[in-house]
């Protein structure tokens, strides 16, 4: 018969192994559930494409709002009649962030969500840990459609703005926007426009055992 001490020891080992597994999995970062793109234009110049991974497993409502606005359709394929295409980045602050998503007024006072005028901030589980973080530019404790992409670590925004994605390609385009000359209100002197946008298919990664696994973002 196995002694209680031996059973306790085995239980401790098993608990430690499980904890290590979940910690290692969490350390890989949030799972990317959707991938969207912005094709950016400034004046007559095509700046290039920004590709963004969305964390729909951690902040599903916020991620779906952004995805739908990028595509112009809801999850059932119905046209929204509004969205990010043709809107601009209305506020750019070097060594901080670039802000867009106000497709109704274009000055930071407008925008709307797919759920109505606003929806409550979903959660603050993820943090502003690196350049390229995608976060909601909220109003009070509610969000609409406005968002910002960080160009530095902005930890003072943790717990105040909902992080829901990260730039996975095209950070050089974000930097180009960051460095554009601005005027009053940090507005670019020459408009920076989302000429086109939409959703891309997600390519799964393959682990050491040959199994397909979801892509995760390092935060």
């Amino acid at each position: 018969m196995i002694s209680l001490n031996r059973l306790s020891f085995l239980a401790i080992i098993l608990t430690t192994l499980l904890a290590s597994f979940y910690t290692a999995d969490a350390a890989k970062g949030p799972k990317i559930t959707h991938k969207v793109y912005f094709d950016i234009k400034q004046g007559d110049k095509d700046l290039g494409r920004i590709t963004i991974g969305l964390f729909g497993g951690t902040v599903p409502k916020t991620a779906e709002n952004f995805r739908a606005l990028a595509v112009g359709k809801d999850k059932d394929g119905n046209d929204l009649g509004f969205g990010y295409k043709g809107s601009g980045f209305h506020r750019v602050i070097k060594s901080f962030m670039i802000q867009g998503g106000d497709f109704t007024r274009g000055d930071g006072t407008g925008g709307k969500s797919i759920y109505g005028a606003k929806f409550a901030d979903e959660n603050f589980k993820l943090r502003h840990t690196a350049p390229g973080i995608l976060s909601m530019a909220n109003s009070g404790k509610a969000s609409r459609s406005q968002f910002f992409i960080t160009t530095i670590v902005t930890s003072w925004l943790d717990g105040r703005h909902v992080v829901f994605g990260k730039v996975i390609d095209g950070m050089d385009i974000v930097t180009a926007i960051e460095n554009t000359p601005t005027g009053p209100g940090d507005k670019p002197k020459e408009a920076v426009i989302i000429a086109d946008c939409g959703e891309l298919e997600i390519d799964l990664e393959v682990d050491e055992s040959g199994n397909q696994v979801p892509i995760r973002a390092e935060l």
Side-chain angles (χ1 to χ4, degrees), residues 51-196:
T51 304
I52 302 166
L54 304 181
F55 308 143
T58 308
V59 275
K61 192 169 185 177
T62 308
E64 175 55 24
N65 182 64
F66 189 86
R67 186 210 65 80
L69 292 173
V71 176
K73 298 176 183 291
D74 66 19
K75 61 183 179 181
D76 296 319
N78 301 310
D79 288 329
L80 294 175
F82 56 90
Y84 291 138
K85 186 174 181 178
S87 67
F89 285 88
H90 62 271
R91 186 173 178 230
V92 173
I93 302 178
K94 187 173 174 60
S95 298
F96 182 20
M97 60 88 204
I98 63 174
Q99 183 174 335
D102 182 355
F103 48 77
T104 61
R105 295 182 180 176
D107 60 3
T109 63
K112 61 180 179 179
S113 80
I114 64 171
Y115 310 112
K118 297 179 181 181
F119 66 104
D121 289 342
E122 192 166 6
N123 65 58
F124 303 107
K125 293 179 181 179
L126 303 175
R127 298 179 296 169
H128 304 76
T129 55
I133 294 295
L134 176 68
S135 187
M136 292 301 291
N138 58 9
S139 175
K141 294 184 179 181
S143 299
R144 291 175 288 192
S145 55
Q146 292 188 49
F147 63 88
F148 61 90
I149 300 173
T150 63
T151 59
I152 61 169
V153 176
T154 56
S155 55
W156 65 91
L157 299 180
D158 295 345
R160 298 169 56 192
H161 294 269
V162 179
V163 171
F164 65 100
K166 186 180 181 182
V167 173
I168 55 178
D169 192 29
M171 195 62 197
D172 57 323
I173 310 304
V174 174
T175 301
I177 299 171
E178 177 193 20
N179 288 308
T180 195
T182 57
D186 303 307
K187 187 173 183 177
K189 291 183 177 180
E190 186 175 28
V192 179
I193 303 297
I194 301 172
D196 197 14

Side-chain angles (χ1 to χ4, degrees), residues 28 202-208 210-217:
K28 295 176 183 177
I202 292 181
D203 298 320
L204 296 176
E205 294 181 336
V206 178
D207 64 17
E208 296 176 354
N211 300 313
Q212 287 188 326
V213 294
I215 297 174
R216 293 181 181 272

